[in-house]
Amino acid sequence: DAKTTQPTSMDCAEGRAANLPCNHSTISGNEYVYWYRQIHSQGPQYIIHGLKNNETNEMASLIITEDRKSSTLILPHATLRDTAVYYCIVYNQGGKLIFGQGTELSVKP
Amino acid sequence: DTAVSQTPKYLVTQMGNDKSIKCEQNLGHDTMYWYKQDSKKFLKIMFSYNNKELIINETVPNRFSPKSPDKAHLNLHINSLELGDSAVYFCASSLWGQDHTEAFFGQGTRLTVV
């Protein structure tokens, strides 16, 4: 079973930042937070991951709370092509990626 | 070059038939996976192979049999297909034991059983 809780859906205006929250209150010390997204009819795509520190790459930023019980994925300037289902996953090295229901993000013009 | 490729992309077949889906990755990864995405869009892991050895085998009917001839290939054979097997099947690959495992997914095979 997925160890994360995400809102079912969110809207975001094009050009604005999209902030996608995720709760993972039962996360263990050696488990990472991963984010993937699935654009309609395509395979899931890796976005970013982190353990304790905040992370940033060319796609997004990941903010993890100090107690690690929640995190937020930030898409700084959302475009229409960012419309997708976003999955927050708690992953244990050597384990398996378990996808929850994800958040359906709609970026609107 | 496609990192993880699956064939066929679409598969329509009758109940009771046996079919195979092929997957190949050119990333040099040592671990490959099969996921099933049903009509409700839930992605569920089915199998995982590491260096050609089965390491994850979820509760899947034994009509489903994965085969890994080498590290770059993981095929899925399905016997006696049923209507409930209709779904999109995704293959994925990654490096085992890395603390920054990024799994790459194929584009999926849409299986329709009629």
Side-chain angles (χ1 to χ4, degrees), chain A:
Chain A
D1 292 335
K3 298 175 66 173
T4 61
T5 305
Q6 300 176 250
T8 303
S9 62
M10 292 181 64
D11 289 341
C12 178
E14 189 178 19
R16 303 296 294 268
N19 297 292
L20 291 90
C22 179
N23 287 324
H24 31 79
S25 57
T26 61
I27 192 170
S28 301
N30 61 348
E31 290 180 320
Y32 288 74
V33 179
Y34 275 72
W35 284 83
Y36 280 76
R37 73 180 183 183
Q38 186 175 25
I39 297 171
H40 180 64
S41 298
Q42 297 182 20
Q45 176 192 24
Y46 166 83
I47 301 173
I48 199 168
H49 77 281
L51 182 62
K52 296 180 183 178
N53 300 322
N54 298 337
E55 302 288 345
T56 296
N57 64 20
E58 65 278 4
M59 288 182 70
S61 294
L62 174 60
I63 308 298
I64 302 174
T65 58
E66 194 169 341
D67 62 8
R68 302 211 322 126
K69 293 185 176 182
S70 65
S71 61
T72 301
L73 177 75
I74 301 173
L75 307 178
H77 304 288
T79 71
L80 297 179
R81 288 177 294 181
D82 291 323
T83 293
V85 178
Y86 288 77
Y87 297 97
C88 171
I89 301 168
V90 169
Y91 175 73
N92 186 344
Q93 189 183 129
K96 51 194 174 187
L97 286 172
I98 299 178
F99 289 79
Q101 69 174 26
T103 295
E104 189 163 0
L105 175 68
S106 295
V107 180
K108 299 183 183 301

Side-chain angles (χ1 to χ4, degrees), chain B residues 3 6 11 19 33-34 37-38 46 53 61-63 73 84 93 96 100:
Chain B
Q6 300 179 222
L11 183 55
K19 290 293 179 185
Y33 312 81
W34 278 110
Q37 188 167 40
D38 58 23
M46 301 173 67
E53 288 193 24
N62 57 16
R63 299 182 294 103
H73 296 84
S93 72
W96 182 260
H100 49 275

Side-chain angles (χ1 to χ4, degrees), chain B residues 2-105:
Chain B
T2 304
V4 181
S5 60
Q6 300 179 222
T7 54
K9 188 172 182 180
Y10 299 96
L11 183 55
V12 180
T13 187
Q14 291 185 327
M15 281 195 310
N17 284 351
D18 303 337
K19 290 293 179 185
S20 292
I21 306 172
K22 295 185 177 181
C23 179
E24 175 181 7
Q25 54 93 6
N26 61 4
L27 299 166
H29 289 165
D30 57 3
T31 305
M32 296 184 72
Y33 312 81
W34 278 110
Y35 281 81
K36 177 181 179 181
Q37 188 167 40
D38 58 23
S39 57
K40 295 182 179 179
K41 303 297 185 184
F42 283 108
L43 266 165
K44 294 182 181 178
I45 190 167
M46 301 173 67
F47 302 103
S48 176
Y49 271 72
N50 173 251
N51 284 318
K52 302 192 297 177
E53 288 193 24
L54 182 66
I55 54 171
I56 294 174
N57 185 354
E58 295 297 295
T59 307
V60 176
N62 57 16
R63 299 182 294 103
F64 290 78
S65 53
K67 285 190 171 50
S68 182
D70 55 57
K71 288 194 298 185
H73 296 84
L74 180 61
N75 303 322
L76 183 65
H77 188 76
I78 314 170
N79 289 327
S80 304
L81 279 155
E82 301 176 357
L83 293 177
D85 297 332
S86 295
V88 181
Y89 292 83
F90 288 99
C91 177
S93 72
S94 69
L95 280 173
W96 182 260
Q98 299 290 311
D99 64 355
H100 49 275
T101 296
E102 174 184 349
F104 288 80
F105 284 78

